[in-house]
Amino acid sequence: MKPLIFPVLAAFSLLAAPLQAQQEQPVVVELFTSQGCSSCPDADAMLAELAEREDIIALALHVDYWDYIGWEDPFGDPAHAERQRGYAAVGGRRSVYTPELIVQGQTDIVGAKPMKLMDAVERHAEAAPQVALTVARSGAAVKITADPLAKGVGPIQIHMLRYSPMERTKVTRGENAGHVMEHSNVVQGWQVLADWDGAAPLSLRAEAEGDLPVVVIVQRKEQGGPGAILAAARAK
């Protein structure tokens, strides 16, 4: 994939604008990226813009399948690549790519395309909520409550993850050799806390040691992989 030729700041300026439809729950944007991918820096910069917004949960999931070309991404995780393949299977796509953005578990966007991305974000923000989610954190304790707002929303999985707000790496080999790369909201410690049928209210407790922010995602479980994200919340 060739790098985009228009000015990055001009193209990404629209990402700073608040959504017209204000929702209680934010929209989740997942970026599948790699330090071994020469086309990824523009998408990484785009995610950094989104990371500043409270109405969007922007997450960088570094994959490991480009490590063989000369640089091993220190944040690459095979579980992230498996999640991306699951999205592809559910969406009927035969291949996975970097950079790829997944909005609210449903809309895939290959490459750094700000206008297409924000169209998808606004569309999902306007959708009627199906689950009411609250996440409260006190020290290492995380309390999660979820209430169905519609019938037939299950089967569902409750996910919890942590992210590092900013990471910098000097890349010495591979396609990005010689560059200091910056990454926002780098995901780590992704785990599935529970399965839920969505028929009755759910209450969970989890542990989250340390200072990194916590994100909880309520997501449909489809045949072959993850489906629509029904709710998400962040606790810092």
Side-chain angles (χ1 to χ4, degrees):
M1 183 181 297
K2 295 181 180 180
L4 300 179
I5 60 175
F6 48 79
V8 173
L9 290 179
F12 293 171
S13 61
L14 61 92
L15 300 178
L19 297 178
Q20 293 180 359
Q22 295 298 323
Q23 300 290 322
E24 293 182 1
Q25 296 180 356
V27 174
V28 177
V29 176
E30 299 172 67
L31 169 64
F32 293 91
T33 185
S34 172
Q35 290 184 356
C37 162
S38 62
S39 299
C40 286
D42 281 351
D44 295 331
M46 197 163 71
L47 195 83
E49 293 281 345
L50 297 179
E52 300 297 321
R53 296 176 51 157
E54 292 298 322
D55 55 352
I56 294 174
I57 296 178
L59 302 172
L61 290 88
H62 287 239
V63 299
D64 65 340
Y65 50 77
W66 293 123
D67 289 357
Y68 77 94
I69 62 176
W71 176 255
E72 184 173 340
D73 190 325
F75 311 113
D77 190 326
H80 298 165
E82 186 64 24
R83 181 171 173 83
Q84 187 184 21
R85 293 186 187 101
Y87 275 131
V90 172
R93 300 183 295 277
R94 295 184 177 182
S95 302
V96 293
Y97 311 87
T98 56
E100 181 182 25
L101 294 135
I102 303 289
V103 182
Q104 206 68 354
Q106 300 167 73
T107 304
D108 71 296
I109 300 167
V110 179
K113 301 182 175 81
M115 293 183 67
K116 189 173 181 180
L117 171 60
M118 294 316 299
D119 284 346
V121 169
E122 289 186 0
R123 185 170 67 253
H124 288 293
E126 292 170 354
Q130 298 185 67
V131 173
L133 174 68
T134 60
V135 178
R137 185 179 184 186
S138 179
V142 180
K143 183 179 179 182
I144 302 160
T145 59
D147 292 283
L149 301 177
K151 294 182 179 180
V153 295
I156 293 169
Q157 287 186 324
I158 310 299
H159 302 257
M160 187 176 78
L161 61 101
R162 318 292 298 279
Y163 66 80
S164 173
M166 174 58 69
E167 295 285 351
R168 294 178 178 84
T169 304
K170 184 177 181 179
V171 178
T172 59
R173 297 185 303 279
E175 292 186 354
N176 291 310
H179 295 279
V180 176
M181 303 190 72
E182 294 188 348
H183 304 284
S184 299
N185 293 11
V186 178
V187 168
Q188 57 183 262
W190 194 301
Q191 58 183 308
V192 176
L193 295 181
D195 291 305
W196 180 40
D197 63 8
L202 176 74
S203 180
L204 289 175
R205 290 185 179 274
E207 295 293 319
E209 299 286 349
D211 298 329
L212 294 182
V214 171
V215 173
V216 174
I217 293 174
V218 178
Q219 187 165 27
R220 279 190 58 85
K221 182 180 179 182
E222 303 290 354
Q223 184 69 31
I229 291 175
L230 306 180
R234 169 173 37 206
K236 297 182 178 180

